[in-house]
Amino acid sequence: MIFLERKMNLKDIFYETYTALAANKVRSGLTILGIVIGIGSVIAMVSIGEGAKVQIQTSIESLGSNLLTILPGVVQPGRGIVSSGRGAAQTLDNDDSEIIQTIDGVAAVAPEVSRRFQVIAPTGNNTNTTVTGADPVFMNVRNLVLAEGSFITDSGVRGLGREAVLGATVAQDLFGEGAQVVGETIRINRINFRVIGLLEPKGGFGFSGPDDMIIVPVTTMQKILAGVDYLSTISVSVTDKNRMNEVRDSINAILTEKHRVDEPDFSIISQEDILGTLSQVINTFTMFLASIAGISLVVGGIGIMNMMLTTVTERTREIGLRKAIGATKKDINRQFLAEAVLLTFVGGFLGIALGWAISFGVTALGLVQTSVSLYSVFLAFGVSAAIGIIFGYYPARKASSMNPIDALRYE
């Protein structure tokens, strides 16, 4: 053991720190474990949140290019995107869809009527899913891709055709995975429909997900299935993303005038609106989870303080002897603080590895495509260093403040 007959250098401090911590490996390991769990949990939670945000962003953007969605009713601030009672309000009709097509900057307009129905297949399988009445434009507006068959046609819309295009999930629920579905017949609300097409799996979020959807001609939906003459949604594709606000204002003005109301009885939502709201929710949720995980860091810090206080008590005579042969208050303070910081540094490195491993495991299982950012790594490492300094300072100060005579007399 090195006695402090001279000023301790970094090499001396490191050697003494290693020797002191290695003297009780189990206690040091358990103390480090608290930091490892805390750091690993924070990194894992942040990476999962970031991955979920990216996944949702990609999913929403894939639903349609430069898309504006017009909903009946008014979205109440702070009550969410679809709080208008979608399907209940009856403020949009076919004439609205036609007049929107005359607005400069509008590339395509897709009127939609959506309802949930029980659907039965010849296999005997059945499912309750969303049936959407649409026209041929719907496929381009929503960026849908056919896996096989064909889509709704103009002749099908004009002739109230009883034809249907299935989303990937619905097709699997009704016919099983890998089954040939084109040409089969399904029953929607006790009416037979012939399957003419199958969509590629796409994903999606909320009410816009096409995988769990059956698409039929909009006129068939209105006159045969639902018995209504209004629309659930109007999807508008804008020619240029930079003109989204301009087109939104034009739609707002022309429909307000047509409906002869002072305030709009409809809501216009862009993909950016949806993405912004969901991103805010995910960020809040991620910070909430990270804060909960961060509690374990505080617990780990208290564990370090407890261990260091115990160590100071056990090494009282050693502290007294070092002071008696020339160690300064600063030397003692630095020695015990170094032990606390080393514990958290080791815990920080292992915690980062644990968080990275958890994130990789979540990605490998296909749950969420996680994204570990350098920001979260540096933040976690900085927090671990701060914990060592904060929770190690009091035991170090207590050790350095001991009277050498009292310390040497300690039993």
Side-chain angles (χ1 to χ4, degrees):
M1 181 176 291
I2 298 175
F3 292 98
L4 301 176
E5 297 170 339
R6 56 183 173 79
K7 184 176 181 181
M8 293 183 71
N9 56 36
L10 290 177
K11 183 179 179 180
D12 295 334
I13 292 176
F14 180 79
Y15 177 77
E16 284 295 324
T17 299
Y18 173 78
T19 302
L21 296 181
N24 198 327
K25 295 183 179 65
V26 175
R27 186 168 64 186
S28 299
L30 292 175
T31 303
I32 290 173
L33 184 61
I35 300 297
V36 172
I37 294 175
I39 295 293
S41 300
V42 170
I43 290 179
M45 291 300 100
V46 172
S47 66
I48 291 172
E50 289 296 320
K53 186 197 301 184
V54 172
Q55 185 172 321
I56 290 174
Q57 180 177 355
T58 302
S59 179
I60 290 176
E61 290 177 348
S62 71
L63 295 177
S65 176
N66 302 341
L67 187 66
L68 291 174
T69 303
I70 307 174
L71 302 173
V74 179
V75 175
Q76 298 294 331
R79 294 182 57 192
I81 294 172
V82 293
S83 63
S84 56
R86 183 170 184 262
Q90 304 176 11
T91 60
L92 299 177
D93 56 31
N94 295 322
D95 292 338
D96 293 333
S97 175
E98 294 175 3
I99 198 172
I100 291 172
Q101 293 178 354
T102 65
I103 296 176
D104 182 43
V106 171
V109 180
E112 305 169 30
V113 181
S114 296
R115 291 289 187 277
R116 293 194 70 88
F117 291 110
Q118 196 72 20
V119 183
I120 304 174
T123 59
N125 296 334
N126 67 91
T127 183
N128 187 281
T129 190
T130 299
V131 180
T132 297
D135 61 14
V137 180
F138 183 82
M139 182 175 176
N140 292 329
V141 170
R142 292 285 184 171
N143 285 347
L144 302 181
V145 179
L146 282 169
E148 56 181 286
S150 59
F151 198 69
I152 303 298
T153 62
D154 287 324
S155 60
V157 173
R158 289 194 301 270
L160 304 181
R162 299 187 183 187
E163 52 195 27
V165 178
L166 304 186
T169 302
V170 176
Q172 183 174 336
D173 291 343
L174 293 176
F175 296 97
E177 187 172 359
Q180 178 68 33
V181 300
V182 175
E184 295 287 346
T185 299
I186 59 175
R187 290 179 65 84
I188 305 175
N189 200 25
R190 299 186 298 276
I191 299 173
N192 288 337
F193 282 77
R194 182 172 62 90
V195 178
I196 63 171
L198 173 66
L199 297 176
E200 287 278 3
K202 187 178 183 64
F205 194 86
F207 61 81
S208 298
D211 289 350
D212 191 26
M213 180 186 293
I214 297 177
I215 303 169
V216 301
V218 63
T219 50
T220 304
M221 169 63 82
Q222 287 181 316
K223 299 183 182 300
I224 297 177
L225 286 177
V228 298
D229 58 0
Y230 53 86
L231 301 174
S232 301
T233 310
I234 300 176
S235 297
V236 181
S237 179
V238 181
T239 56
D240 185 355
K241 187 175 183 178
N242 296 324
R243 301 187 64 184
M244 294 283 281
N245 290 333
E246 175 191 340
V247 173
R248 185 207 294 248
D249 293 340
S250 298
I251 294 174
N252 191 72
I254 198 170
L255 289 187
T256 300
E257 181 180 355
K258 178 181 177 295
H259 293 179
R260 298 179 181 179
V261 293
D262 295 329
E263 296 292 334
D265 53 1
F266 54 89
S267 302
I268 305 175
I269 299 171
S270 66
Q271 300 294 66
E272 287 79 6
D273 294 332
I274 300 174
L275 184 60
T277 300
L278 293 176
S279 295
Q280 184 178 359
V281 172
I282 292 174
N283 285 339
T284 302
F285 190 62
T286 300
M287 293 306 298
F288 174 71
L289 292 178
S291 298
I292 293 177
I295 293 175
S296 61
L297 285 174
V298 178
V299 175
I302 295 174
I304 289 176
M305 179 182 289
N306 181 60
M307 174 188 170
M308 295 307 300
L309 287 172
T310 303
T311 300
V312 169
T313 302
E314 292 176 347
R315 295 162 63 185
T316 299
R317 289 179 61 83
E318 175 191 329
I319 295 170
L321 182 58
R322 288 189 175 190
K323 281 199 164 190
I325 62 175
T328 65
K329 182 176 180 180
K330 184 177 181 180
D331 289 330
I332 300 296
N333 187 56
R334 186 184 300 164
Q335 177 63 49
F336 282 89
L337 189 58
E339 293 179 19
V341 171
L342 182 61
L343 284 172
T344 55
F345 265 49
V346 173
F349 276 118
L350 295 178
I352 290 171
L354 176 63
W356 217 303
I358 293 174
S359 301
F360 179 80
V362 171
T363 301
L365 292 174
L367 302 176
V368 176
Q369 190 71 28
T370 59
S371 175
V372 179
S373 64
L374 289 178
Y375 167 77
S376 63
V377 172
F378 287 135
L379 177 63
F381 193 76
V383 168
S384 67
I387 285 175
I389 294 172
I390 294 172
F391 288 93
Y393 175 75
Y394 175 71
R397 188 170 68 89
K398 181 179 179 181
S400 64
S401 300
M402 284 186 178
N403 186 294
I405 297 177
D406 294 336
L408 288 171
R409 290 176 177 174
Y410 182 81
E411 296 294 336

